Amino acid sequence: MPEAEELGKHSANSTSQHQVREDSEYVRLVISNEPRVAEADSLQPQAERRSKSCTWWINAIALCFIAIIIVLIFIKWGVPFLFEKVLLPIMQWEATAFGRPVLAVILVASLALFPVFLIPSGPSMWLAGMIFGYGLGFVIIMVGTTIGMILPYLIGLLFRDRIHQWLKRWPQKAAMIRLAAEGSWFHQFRVVALFRVSPFPYTIFNYAIVVTSMRFWPYLCGSITGMVPEAFIYIYSGRLIRTFADVQYGNHHLTPVEITYNIVSLIVAIITTVAFTVYAKRALKELGSGESGGVEASAASGHGGLEMAKLPNERPKQQQHLGFSSSLP
């Protein structure tokens, strides 16, 4: 019997030792592999990020290379074609066909009517700068663009329901437009001026703003203020184009001082344009950061991501004249 008890204890001890050995082997094989699995999982996103980064840089370099080629081709063949076939005939036409008062009226009319039909009015601004210079050219541009900002606004009031439905297709853009109509008089003035300086299409903005609670006078004053830098840039570029045309195809020769002045002024104009654009985009982004949460929440709730100002069935009669506030309930 003692021998049987000793054999039982020995077998029990061997069994427990074998179980411990298996447990330790499991720990060694399984648990020790867990850090490797986690490390492999962490390395996979890094590899994907590196691959995406390399792809992005390859695409960026390829696009830059293509853009450089296009610019060189345009400078080699496009610029001479534009000067010979477009610019010089226009300059000869304006010098012989009409007098300066008639040309001024034509330019004001084009600047006033083109935005109504969503046509860019940049060429008319260039012509105003080329023909009339900084003084009278600036007056022509500001008068024409002011009328061109009022007419779409008044026409848009007649089609507010359709414009409202159309804006629902682009909730993020519509939410940015709605920012212009919030807050005080100065806030509306500031945001409209930023929209004019930013790359946002102003011809669309003229119509889209009518579905918000934007008042008329902040809209008009902000639009005029925002157009001042753009007017000077167009006038300057028009004068520069005319100078190059006179040098290339005329008898005018630039002195070293004039060459230096044109180069420096061109650099300043480019820097100013970029600075205004970046500032306007950054300011609008900061203003829209507070609205993005509301837009995403409304989109998640199934409201189309947009809650524009409610459209009344009828506008009050006292708001039908030019001095109305155009505030929507």
Side-chain angles (χ1 to χ4, degrees), residues 124-152:
S124 297
M125 297 185 190
W126 273 323
L127 286 176
M130 291 169 54
I131 299 170
F132 296 98
Y134 288 97
L136 187 56
F138 177 77
V139 175
I140 290 172
I141 290 176
M142 295 308 298
V143 171
T145 53
T146 300
I147 299 173
M149 291 181 290
I150 295 175
L151 289 179

Side-chain angles (χ1 to χ4, degrees), residues 171-172 175 178-179 182 287-307:
Q172 293 181 350
R178 187 182 60 180
L179 286 175
E182 297 179 350
L287 291 172
S289 60
E291 295 290 326
S292 59
V295 173
E296 292 176 358
S298 60
S301 62
H303 292 291
L306 174 65
E307 290 183 3

Side-chain angles (χ1 to χ4, degrees), residues 24 60 64 84 92 98 137 149 208 218 254 262 265 287 291 301 307:
S24 63
C64 291
E84 294 178 2
Q92 295 173 356
F98 303 103
M149 291 181 290
L254 294 177
N262 286 317
S265 59
L287 291 172
E291 295 290 326
S301 62
E307 290 183 3

Side-chain angles (χ1 to χ4, degrees), residues 125-126 134 138 141 197 227-240 268-274 276-277:
M125 297 185 190
W126 273 323
Y134 288 97
F138 177 77
I141 290 176
V197 177
M227 281 300 301
V228 171
E230 185 176 359
F232 277 111
I233 290 172
Y234 271 106
I235 292 172
Y236 167 76
S237 57
R239 299 298 296 176
L240 189 63
V268 171
I270 294 174
I271 294 175
T272 303
T273 304
V274 173
F276 271 113
T277 304

